[in-house]
Amino acid sequence: MFGAQKLKIEIIDTLNPDKVLITEYTAAESPTFIANGDEDKFSNLNTSELHFNMVVTSLEDGVFFHLFTGSEVRFKVLLLNFDDADNPEILWSGFLLPEQY
């Protein structure tokens, strides 16, 4: 789906948008994009989802516990085409949903 060879996933705290919390580099086949359709041809809002894995590199429990919050717009997720590091292109943006992880 994504024609890029190098993809970069950033998770950004919207309360402090200058600080990127997590940067995950992943292969182009790793993230799964889901476009939710609608049977109504007059519907003008279709949602999409991005499913991806985050690697735990330590033996600690709850490594990503700080990402669990009740707010659905707290943590912004950006999927970037990183083929050209000087000019990354945003392929998808959305928010981390707390009930999904």
Side-chain angles (χ1 to χ4, degrees):
M1 191 289 160
F2 308 111
Q5 295 297 314
K6 294 179 184 176
L7 298 177
K8 181 179 174 184
I9 297 172
E10 293 182 351
I11 299 175
I12 302 166
D13 188 348
T14 58
L15 296 180
N16 187 6
D18 297 332
K19 180 180 177 186
V20 175
L21 294 179
I22 296 173
T23 300
E24 287 288 330
Y25 289 89
T26 182
E29 294 84 17
S30 179
T32 305
F33 176 76
I34 300 170
N36 298 318
D38 194 347
E39 295 297 322
D40 182 10
K41 65 180 178 180
F42 298 109
S43 178
N44 51 353
L45 179 64
N46 291 321
T47 61
S48 63
E49 301 175 27
L50 183 71
H51 294 206
F52 60 94
N53 294 329
M54 297 191 306
V55 179
V56 176
T57 57
S58 68
L59 298 176
E60 298 176 42
D61 286 338
V63 173
F64 299 117
F65 188 70
H66 64 285
L67 296 176
F68 185 75
T69 177
S71 173
E72 292 188 352
V73 294
R74 170 81 187 266
F75 296 108
K76 185 173 185 175
V77 178
L78 296 177
L79 177 66
L80 303 166
N81 176 352
F82 214 66
D83 285 340
D84 181 6
D86 295 329
N87 191 19
E89 172 189 7
I90 297 175
L91 299 175
W92 184 89
S93 68
F95 293 94
L96 222 105
L97 297 180
E99 70 274 3
Q100 297 295 318
Y101 53 91

